[in-house]
Amino acid sequence: MRKFFQEIKADLKFKTAGPGQKLSEPSRAPREKAKAETAPKPRRAPTDEAQRAAAAALARLELKPKAKAPCSSQDAIKSQGRSGAAELPGSSFGAWFYLLQEEEGAAAPSVSGIYFICPLTGAVVRKDQKEKQLREAIQAYSSVDPVAASIMEIQTFNKDREKVRACVETMAKYLDNIYLHPEEEKYRKIKLQNKVFQERISCLEGTHKFFQAVGFETKTLPVPGQGKNSGTEEFYVLKEEMLSRLEELKEHREQLLSSEPVRARLHRQLTVFRPSPAAARFDLPHDFFSLTAEELRREQRLRTEAVEKAAMLRTRAMREKEEQREMRRYNYTLLRVRFPDGYILQGTFYARESVSVLYNFVREALRDDWLPFELLGPGGLKLTDENLAFNECGLVPSALLSLAWDAAVMADVEAAQKEEEEQRCPLRPELLDAAQTLS
């Protein structure tokens, strides 16, 4: 597989040239040396399979339609190619070329990965450590509030939301019966082998911890039967002292019904860069892609086999539908906003977050958050619909946007600053102090 990629990449380098470059030619040795040495062997041509894959990939890139969305990333990718920026993995060809770069070692990424903030401890961890951190935090919290910790486990670590809903409602019903009928002994016992208990409660994580935390204990009790068929079974039985603390049971019931999953918060990794011509170059780590590298390779191999035929048969509508499907692959996006003075604000977002989140992100970074501004997507078109998601308007897996101030308001601001003999950058001072340089 490595040899296959290297042959394609070598063929592409041989056949294409970057912006402002001429097609490369074989170096010519001095005439005296040429006469003394034998003629060099001709360059080994790529295999037929490599040539077909390269040609198909290039053809696919040419066939990509211009996106209609006001902030299409396809135009951005093409403009980056014209300005000498690296190709982005925003299309099938981009992801394929990204893998070719990986074969020889990619450049340092724009960010080191996707990070999350644990809401319980404030710890910042990588994406693959998120669940482990949550488990450890909830387990540690159980020594402080075992009831709350068990509810967190139920809501957070059971992924089937419908099963969680049914479980919580059934558990709340058990507590409700005890609170309403404390004199009825039958409501204070729950048979563990009961079909409803097994199917709705026992199979979910954290449920047994909840019953133990609210005052139930496990007991083996005799089960009435006929003659030799009588036996014993295990029950959860409410402790006697809890009958004098029924209000606590009611509170636990309300707490159970109103609970939500504990979600780690996506770390924006807010970064400010000084003015740089490399603003449009993005080198993304694997964390930004839904598919693994091996899955991308396998899919590209399957697509390459049929791309020539498919390119001739697909309609424009089909191509646009496929492009939207491509966009839905990305879970995250890295966005940069370039200010008029050249400074760049960078943040990490979910691909399905709305444009309004980006406006708020920029506003929070301003020295004066009341200043009106507009964001311009690739191509200079305004992002007017703040309800659109980033993947709906093509801002995945990365994009460079521009910020434009309200001209009338900025004229007044500049006039006021001129009187004070102070020209200030609009970003907060602490962000400017930590500004980095894009390499």
Side-chain angles (χ1 to χ4, degrees):
M1 178 62 73
R2 179 182 295 272
K3 183 178 180 181
F4 170 69
F5 280 121
Q6 289 174 342
E7 288 179 345
I8 300 176
K9 187 171 183 181
D11 190 52
L12 286 175
K13 288 182 177 179
F14 184 74
K15 294 182 178 181
T16 61
Q21 299 177 343
K22 297 181 180 179
L23 289 172
S24 58
E25 297 179 358
S27 58
R28 298 178 179 176
R31 293 183 178 179
E32 294 79 9
K33 189 174 181 179
K35 292 179 181 180
E37 297 177 356
T38 60
K41 295 182 180 180
R43 179 180 177 276
R44 180 189 173 189
T47 65
D48 292 341
E49 183 182 8
Q51 291 184 26
R52 285 196 301 272
L58 291 171
R60 181 178 178 82
L61 186 62
E62 293 297 326
L63 286 170
K64 277 282 183 182
K66 295 182 179 179
K68 293 181 179 180
C71 44
S72 171
S73 63
Q74 297 301 318
D75 292 337
I77 293 174
K78 293 179 182 178
S79 65
Q80 288 162 5
R82 289 193 292 271
S83 62
E87 180 69 43
L88 293 179
S91 62
S92 293
F93 177 78
W96 172 79
F97 188 76
Y98 177 72
L99 290 174
L100 291 184
Q101 288 181 315
E102 185 190 61
E103 291 295 318
E104 295 184 356
S110 302
V111 288
S112 58
I114 300 293
Y115 289 84
F116 287 86
I117 303 172
C118 177
L120 299 177
T121 64
V124 177
V125 295
R126 286 189 67 101
K127 182 176 68 173
D128 56 357
Q129 294 295 313
K130 178 179 61 172
E131 184 167 336
K132 178 183 177 183
Q133 174 65 28
L134 284 175
R135 285 187 179 277
E136 292 176 351
I138 291 174
Q139 183 177 2
Y141 191 67
S142 64
S143 62
V144 178
D145 190 339
V147 175
S150 64
I151 294 174
M152 290 179 193
E153 285 192 30
I154 295 169
Q155 289 286 359
T156 305
F157 302 128
N158 298 294
K159 304 306 180 183
D160 190 322
R161 302 312 304 165
E162 184 59 30
K163 285 186 176 181
V164 171
R165 183 193 62 78
C167 168
V168 166
E169 290 179 353
T170 305
M171 293 169 70
K173 185 64 176 177
Y174 281 134
L175 300 184
D176 199 35
N177 285 337
I178 296 173
Y179 179 78
L180 295 176
H181 310 283
E183 72 286 350
E184 294 285 347
E185 183 182 356
K186 64 179 181 179
Y187 290 127
R188 303 199 299 268
K189 295 189 298 183
I190 304 172
K191 187 165 66 172
L192 298 187
Q193 294 305 314
N194 178 277
K195 183 179 180 181
V196 172
F197 187 85
Q198 286 291 316
E199 293 180 352
R200 293 190 182 183
I201 297 175
S202 185
C203 58
L204 270 65
E205 186 172 350
T207 54
H208 291 281
K209 291 182 181 179
F210 175 81
F211 281 107
Q212 294 164 9
V214 299
F216 284 86
E217 58 184 348
T218 307
K219 286 188 175 182
T220 302
L221 301 177
V223 178
Q226 296 181 357
K228 298 181 180 180
N229 294 328
S230 60
T232 60
E233 288 193 29
E234 286 193 334
F235 288 79
Y236 271 142
V237 180
L238 188 69
K239 297 177 183 177
E240 287 293 331
E241 64 261 28
M242 293 305 300
L243 292 177
S244 61
R245 297 157 58 185
L246 293 177
E247 289 302 320
E248 287 185 24
L249 282 183
K250 184 179 179 182
E251 291 176 3
H252 296 330
R253 173 187 176 276
E254 297 302 323
Q255 186 180 2
L256 181 65
L257 290 173
S258 62
S259 61
E260 295 288 339
V262 179
R263 301 296 189 199
R265 182 162 49 91
L266 179 64
H267 188 15
R268 298 294 184 200
Q269 301 185 73
L270 187 154
T271 309
V272 172
F273 295 107
R274 301 180 185 89
S276 170
R281 183 185 302 121
F282 292 86
D283 297 295
L284 301 178
H286 286 304
D287 286 1
F288 276 79
F289 305 97
S290 302
L291 301 180
T292 64
E294 184 57 36
E295 288 171 333
L296 280 172
R297 288 188 180 95
R298 183 171 61 253
E299 180 165 322
Q300 186 57 43
R301 184 170 65 251
L302 295 174
R303 290 191 177 196
T304 299
E305 295 173 356
V307 68
E308 293 181 356
K309 179 180 178 180
M312 299 299 296
L313 299 178
R314 289 182 306 163
T315 64
R316 182 182 182 87
M318 292 170 63
R319 291 197 299 270
E320 290 177 352
K321 184 177 181 180
E322 181 175 337
E323 184 174 347
Q324 289 300 316
R325 189 163 55 249
E326 294 270 347
M327 291 302 179
R328 288 195 293 270
R329 291 174 172 224
Y330 304 110
N331 292 329
Y332 310 95
T333 183
L334 185 68
L335 300 178
R336 289 175 182 164
V337 176
R338 181 159 49 193
F339 284 70
D341 60 4
Y343 274 87
I344 302 158
L345 181 67
Q346 176 178 285
T348 303
F349 302 85
Y350 286 110
R352 293 170 181 79
E353 287 187 275
S354 65
V355 172
S356 63
V357 174
L358 180 60
Y359 270 91
N360 292 334
F361 175 75
V362 174
R363 198 169 287 114
E364 291 171 0
L366 296 178
R367 185 192 298 261
D368 300 309
D369 59 6
W370 57 268
L371 287 174
F373 63 88
E374 294 177 324
L375 294 178
L376 310 179
L381 297 177
K382 298 177 183 178
L383 301 181
T384 55
D385 189 350
E386 295 188 26
N387 293 319
L388 281 176
F390 296 128
N391 62 345
E392 290 178 319
C393 52
L395 298 179
V396 292
S398 59
L400 173 65
L401 303 96
S402 299
L403 181 143
W405 301 111
D406 182 282
V409 173
M410 287 309 297
D412 294 339
V413 172
E414 290 173 0
Q417 289 182 353
K418 188 174 182 181
E419 291 178 2
E420 299 174 1
E421 297 183 354
E422 179 186 7
Q423 293 294 324
R424 301 184 305 175
C425 177
L427 290 168
R428 298 205 315 262
E430 63 270 24
L431 297 180
L432 291 174
D433 292 341
Q436 303 178 21
T437 300
L438 272 172
S439 56

